Amino acid sequence: MATLLRSVESAPASGPNFRRSQEVFAIRDVLGEVPGLWPLLATDALRRALAQLFPAGCHLTKSIYFDKPAGSNWLVAWHQDLMINVDRRANLPGFGPWTSKPEGISVQPPVAVLENECTIRIHLDDCDATNGALKVVPGSHQRGVVPAAEIAGLTLAATSCAVPAGGAMLMKPLLLHASNRSTSDRPRRVLHLEFASVELPTELVWRERKQVMQ
């Protein structure tokens, strides 16, 4: 964990992929910004987990570093992770809406793409309800894209996911999840990695695509 943190802290912290404030520090495309991270992350344990999730092979589609500082009053409302990062816009059925930000273009793909993905969140600090552990609605990933008006009614079944430092949380991007404000003096630093086995239509390429297993 210490080596991973040193690698992240060595990043230049400038450019469109970096977001820094008193509330949060985030690095998007962290494996692109900090190339030395992947050799540290590509352990036998991670490869075994990916082989179980994607027996036919997979590729990384997104990587983010999140730092929720001690005492942060930043919260994340209930949501699903519906957007993927791509290299360009394309007029394709089932793809949309689109967004363009300084770091690049994102789009909501067909549900089948989102259902194929899996997220692995590697925790670099002990994480519980006091410092921003994710709350999730078990089984909500099986509902497809949940209309906004229905989300509140589902959160009554929410549970909090505590994860120790060095542990990993696996979740589907369609899982409803949220994060409370921190009431602790401990940080919550996480490496968020998304993987998939499906390929996009030939008109599009995953912006952060890295082949992991075949």
Side-chain angles (χ1 to χ4, degrees):
M1 294 304 99
T3 305
L4 286 169
L5 284 168
R6 281 197 298 271
S7 294
V8 172
E9 290 165 358
S10 70
S14 61
N17 283 323
F18 292 82
R19 177 185 171 195
R20 184 188 291 277
S21 70
Q22 291 183 339
E23 299 297 322
V24 62
F25 175 45
I27 308 174
R28 299 190 178 276
D29 188 14
V30 66
L31 295 185
E33 296 288 350
V34 191
L37 272 181
W38 182 245
L40 299 173
L41 292 170
T43 61
D44 288 342
L46 179 63
R47 292 183 183 278
R48 284 195 300 270
L50 291 173
Q52 292 182 342
L53 294 166
F54 302 102
C58 67
H59 43 270
L60 179 125
T61 62
K62 186 184 295 185
S63 64
I64 311 172
Y65 170 76
F66 289 118
D67 180 358
K68 193 168 196 173
S72 170
N73 63 9
W74 161 55
L75 62 79
V76 178
W78 286 104
H79 69 288
Q80 297 169 293
D81 292 338
L82 300 178
M83 306 296 282
I84 64 171
N85 296 337
V86 294
D87 63 331
R88 64 176 72 93
R89 286 178 177 263
N91 185 16
L92 294 168
F95 284 78
W98 297 78
T99 64
S100 295
K101 297 181 179 180
E103 63 267 26
I105 296 169
S106 300
V107 64
Q108 182 174 323
V111 170
V113 175
L114 297 171
E115 289 176 338
N116 175 262
E117 288 192 284
C118 187
T119 299
I120 299 180
R121 291 168 57 92
I122 299 172
H123 284 252
L124 306 180
D125 302 288
D126 290 333
C127 181
D128 57 29
T130 68
N131 68 332
L134 285 191
K135 300 179 296 181
V136 307
V137 178
S140 54
H141 63 289
Q142 298 172 332
R143 293 174 172 267
V145 177
V146 179
E150 297 179 12
I151 291 177
L154 297 173
T155 60
L156 299 176
T159 185
S160 180
C161 299
V163 183
M169 175 181 174
L170 279 64
M171 59 180 276
K172 301 294 283 184
L174 286 171
L175 186 74
L176 278 169
H177 57 287
S179 174
N180 286 342
R181 294 179 173 89
S182 178
T183 59
S184 169
D185 60 358
R186 294 179 290 113
R188 189 213 67 180
R189 293 168 290 188
V190 174
L191 286 164
H192 172 113
L193 308 174
E194 296 183 16
F195 300 89
S197 61
V198 297
E199 297 291 354
L200 298 177
T202 54
E203 295 90 341
L204 291 178
V205 175
W206 301 93
R207 194 167 75 234
E208 300 177 42
R209 191 186 192 286
K210 175 189 286 290
Q211 190 66 40
V212 177
M213 297 180 62
Q214 294 180 341

